[in-house]
Amino acid sequence: MVDTVSPKPTACLALADGTVFYGHGFGATGRCVAELCFNTAMTGYQEIMTDPSYAGQVVTFTFPHIGNTGVTPEDDETADPVAAGMVVKWDPTLASNWRATEELKSWLTRTGRIAVGGIDTRRLTRAIRQQGAPHVAMEHNPDGNFDLEALVAAARAWPGLEGMDLAKDVTCAQSYRWDEMRWAWPDGYSRQEDPKHKVVAIDYGAKRNILRCLASAGCDVTVLPATATSEEVLAHNPDGVFLSNGPGDPAATGEYAVPMIKDILDKTDLPVFGICLGHQMLALALGAKTSKMNHGHHGANHPVKEHGTGKVEITSMNHGFAVDAQTLPEGVEETHISLFDGSNCGIRMKDRPVYSVQHHPEASPGPQDSFYLFERFADAMSARKA
């Protein structure tokens, strides 16, 4: 099957099953090979592209107006885009926003990320939902000459995210302190000058806004690399341990992360809080299992129900693996579920302040229904001290 658009296509998206989509290339030129997912968020394309959890993935945006607010360094979740590329319905228009400092096209070019517009994203999204997240090869060539056989072969040869440890690729190289708090009008970002709790955050691909939420909740945050040992964590004498979001297969990252978490749980009574990959790492450490999803959850409109209160929160999500709630051991209970498909979205130990969620309470982008989880973490640290 071949989709054609006019004028002459300058980009090509080839799926492993042989399906080819043509469009208009922008951003960097060249080729990338990755898993293809779709994101349904209406805002926050810059935060999505710079979210380390998207390593190894090309993102299809279902909302057509991508690029119209430009980009600003204030919205970066890490220094540069991490997602391999982007697919959009319409070519980006000129930016129209008072915060914009650069156009999306020039930003992608400067940071080496390939993008394609003019794609039937509705049809592409439907294919992902029905067949699962495909492996793809995407090429931007201004001459419009494409070796389709080579592109399809590259997509078929890509090994996929299962068994792939990507946290090591996106984690920090060395430890650092974080005290910047959430953005607020009119001052922007301010510093946490009176922290109440010392937190060690394990960086599996941490988003800056998660760290900002911790700082806003009264935490003095020290960030350690994904491979940090329990001895290195405890050397900071923390009041709590945070496990961050990140990309790849949790079982692969768990080879080195799970022993560290188990050691922390065995040796201390510290509060532990995990988000996204951190949620999956905690679940594995407690004895549960994870599995690859058909097409994952990627968007800012996902309803999640908390069992304890019956409250439904609209949340931001980004994950392609999930915790199997049927494998949770005795003493660990499910706290949240997705109302889209019933998949697990949260767990906690029944007798200790150790818990995690699959969704993203920092809401960047997304709704702010789940900010209370950071306050709950701070309260647990206060209770332990008392």
Side-chain angles (χ1 to χ4, degrees), residues 14-26:
L15 278 59
D17 68 358
T19 304
V20 175
F21 291 79
Y22 289 110
H24 318 131
F26 59 96

Side-chain angles (χ1 to χ4, degrees), residues 224-292:
L224 297 186
T227 54
T229 64
S230 59
E231 290 77 15
E232 290 169 332
V233 172
L234 297 178
H236 291 274
N237 193 28
D239 299 315
V241 176
F242 174 76
L243 309 173
S244 87
N245 64 293
D249 188 339
T253 303
E255 291 293 326
Y256 54 87
V258 164
M260 182 279 290
I261 299 169
K262 283 184 175 180
D263 214 26
I264 296 292
L265 295 176
D266 289 341
K267 291 180 178 179
T268 77
D269 62 348
L270 293 173
V272 177
F273 175 30
I275 289 175
C276 191
L277 182 62
H279 163 66
Q280 297 160 1
M281 290 297 96
L282 179 61
L284 291 173
L286 292 173
K289 296 181 180 179
T290 58
S291 60
K292 186 79 164 66

Side-chain angles (χ1 to χ4, degrees), residues 175-179 195 220-223:
S175 64
Y176 62 94
R177 295 279 295 281
W178 185 276
D179 63 359
D220 174 6
V221 183
T222 299
V223 184

Side-chain angles (χ1 to χ4, degrees), residues 333-371:
E333 66 179 0
E334 183 176 64
T335 58
H336 298 74
I337 61 165
S338 165
L339 293 184
F340 277 160
D341 59 12
S343 61
N344 173 264
C345 290
I347 61 172
R348 76 175 184 94
M349 294 186 71
K350 294 180 180 179
D351 58 350
R352 295 175 59 179
V354 174
Y355 65 98
S356 59
V357 292
Q358 185 63 73
H359 47 287
H360 281 257
E362 84 284 354
S364 299
Q368 303 177 359
D369 296 17
S370 303
F371 277 155

Side-chain angles (χ1 to χ4, degrees), residues 294-318:
N294 179 63
H295 56 273
H297 290 162
H298 309 277
N301 60 341
H302 286 249
V304 168
K305 182 178 180 179
E306 184 178 26
H307 287 315
T309 62
K311 182 177 70 170
V312 176
E313 306 161 28
I314 305 302
T315 72
S316 182
M317 282 201 185
N318 172 26

Side-chain angles (χ1 to χ4, degrees), residues 91-106:
D91 294 351
T93 57
L94 292 178
S96 178
N97 186 278
W98 66 274
R99 296 178 65 237
T101 61
E102 190 174 2
E103 299 290 341
L104 175 61
K105 288 184 177 181
S106 63

